[in-house]
Amino acid sequence: MADAKVIPFDEDRPRRRSSAARRVRVAPEPPAGPEPVVEAVPEPAAAAAAAGDGWDRRIAGGLAFLRRRITGEYEVDDFGYDKELTDQVLMSLMRPLYDKYFRVEVKGIENIPKEGGALIVANHSGTLPLDGLMLQVAVHDQHPAQRHLRLLAADLVFMLPVVNELARKAGHTLACAEDAQRLLEAGELVGVMPEGFKGIGKPFGERYKLQRFGRGGFVSTALRAGTPIVPCSIVGAEEIYPMIGNSKTLARLLGIPYFPITPTFPLLGPLGAVPLPTKWTIQFGEPIPTDGYAAEAAEDPMLMFNLTDQVREQIQHTLYKLLVQRRSVFF
């Protein structure tokens, strides 16, 4: 057996470090300084608990509302107005149409008094009276005091089943001077559309041309109550159902003022009853005071004629102004 070759060990030769030893480096210690600030991040459990509390409150509120409906523990006024039902249900049903569909823009809301009675006089159009409902939402949602508008409605509204009850609950009342005066003297906002069926039933070719304002009964009512008159102009409602014809025979058979024919109704059946998504603008003008007149002024036909004409001209002028400013019917 051959002898193994012995390699002499040289103590003066530097030793080789292993590959592991070569890879190990000691990082320098960071200089002393203030401790870093760590922002507290809310735990998902806490956020979920807060959301759960919100839903719990909503559910509890809804159950309490249903209990009051069942037991009859809710209030209505002498006209049948149910404030709680209007706030929590009816307004919630109309608000998507107001916000998302017609995208209503409101101007001059500061012209509506913060408190006390006032008579809001507006133009009327659209084949179906959706403009009155949108006006009611506009006053409630845009006014700082979230005031409620009590609309004066035609007799036909209170002759229709279901519609009659809903109108009463929403605060509408019959368009008569006595009811309007009672509401104004009680400090309520009252809305009237003097054109009536002549306004909503006019052909599309006469859009935004105000019809006759009657005999000025609304002026007489405001004078007796001593409340201001606020002119209101609504643009956008005329185009939701472009009325190109009127079947008077069907209207007489059904006992209604007119039977509209539009590009989509009755051709498309129920689908034709869907309104076009026009862009609306509602502008409230400067109030016209009436408290400076004597008590017998309400019986002066010339004064009523002049004030009626003043209100009508102000609404018409604002309509033309808004139409000039409008970029498009739908935008």
Side-chain angles (χ1 to χ4, degrees):
M1 180 176 179
D3 295 334
K5 185 177 180 180
V6 179
I7 301 176
F9 177 76
D10 188 356
E11 292 183 357
D12 296 332
R13 186 173 61 187
R15 297 181 180 180
R16 294 183 178 179
R17 292 177 296 177
S18 66
S19 59
R22 287 196 301 269
R23 289 195 298 268
V24 175
R25 294 184 179 180
V26 179
E29 295 184 0
E35 293 292 332
V37 178
V38 180
E39 295 183 359
V41 179
E43 297 181 0
D53 291 341
W55 278 107
D56 289 344
R57 286 194 295 269
R58 292 182 183 181
I59 293 173
L63 291 176
F65 172 78
L66 291 176
R67 180 183 61 79
R68 289 191 295 272
R69 293 288 116 184
I70 294 172
T71 59
E73 298 176 2
Y74 58 90
E75 297 181 357
V76 296
D77 67 7
D78 295 340
F79 299 93
Y81 172 50
D82 189 333
K83 183 178 183 299
E84 184 184 48
L85 182 69
T86 301
D87 284 343
Q88 298 194 24
V89 179
L90 301 181
M91 284 288 179
S92 299
L93 293 175
M94 293 187 291
R95 199 165 281 124
L97 197 64
Y98 174 91
D99 287 330
K100 305 298 182 183
Y101 199 78
F102 294 134
R103 296 146 291 143
V104 181
E105 178 184 0
V106 178
K107 300 179 180 181
I109 194 69
E110 67 277 1
N111 290 318
I112 298 178
K114 294 181 180 179
E115 57 184 14
L119 184 67
I120 297 178
V121 183
N123 60 305
H124 207 11
S125 62
T127 305
L128 289 181
L130 296 181
D131 51 357
L133 301 179
M134 296 302 102
L135 181 61
Q136 191 174 9
V137 178
V139 171
H140 179 268
D141 287 5
Q142 300 300 320
H143 197 277
Q146 292 188 328
R147 301 199 65 180
H148 286 274
L149 181 65
R150 309 293 295 271
L151 286 171
L152 303 180
D155 300 0
L156 179 61
V157 173
F158 301 102
M159 295 169 59
L160 300 173
V162 181
V163 175
N164 170 29
E165 285 297 321
L166 290 176
R168 291 283 186 190
K169 296 289 186 182
H172 305 175
T173 189
L174 193 64
C176 66
E178 292 78 11
D179 287 355
Q181 186 174 343
R182 284 180 58 195
L183 288 170
L184 289 172
E185 291 175 347
E188 298 282 355
L189 284 181
V190 178
V192 62
M193 295 173 166
E195 292 177 280
F197 290 117
K198 299 189 302 293
I200 57 175
K202 63 177 177 288
F204 188 67
E206 297 181 15
R207 60 192 180 279
Y208 298 115
K209 295 178 182 178
L210 293 183
Q211 306 298 300
R212 198 169 72 90
F213 266 22
R215 300 177 182 177
F218 67 90
V219 171
S220 176
T221 302
L223 286 170
R224 287 192 177 92
T227 54
I229 300 173
V230 181
C232 175
S233 302
I234 304 173
V235 165
E238 292 276 16
E239 294 90 0
I240 59 173
Y241 297 110
M243 186 169 165
I244 57 176
N246 176 20
S247 178
K248 296 182 179 180
T249 302
L250 283 175
R252 283 195 297 268
L253 290 174
L254 296 174
I256 54 180
Y258 55 88
F259 186 89
I261 298 174
T262 73
T264 58
F265 182 84
L267 182 63
L268 299 182
L271 186 62
V274 177
L276 296 178
T278 58
K279 174 75 170 64
W280 287 33
T281 302
I282 299 177
Q283 180 162 338
F284 299 96
E286 294 185 6
I288 300 171
T290 64
D291 54 354
Y293 293 96
E296 60 272 13
E299 308 299 330
D300 186 347
M302 185 57 65
L303 176 61
M304 285 194 295
F305 174 82
N306 290 334
L307 284 176
T308 302
D309 191 58
Q310 180 183 351
V311 174
R312 187 178 182 279
E313 288 300 318
Q314 189 168 337
I315 295 173
Q316 185 70 81
H317 176 74
T318 305
L319 286 175
Y320 288 148
K321 181 180 177 181
L322 292 174
L323 289 171
V324 171
Q325 296 173 350
R326 183 168 66 167
R327 295 179 300 167
S328 166
V329 173
F330 299 102
F331 302 103

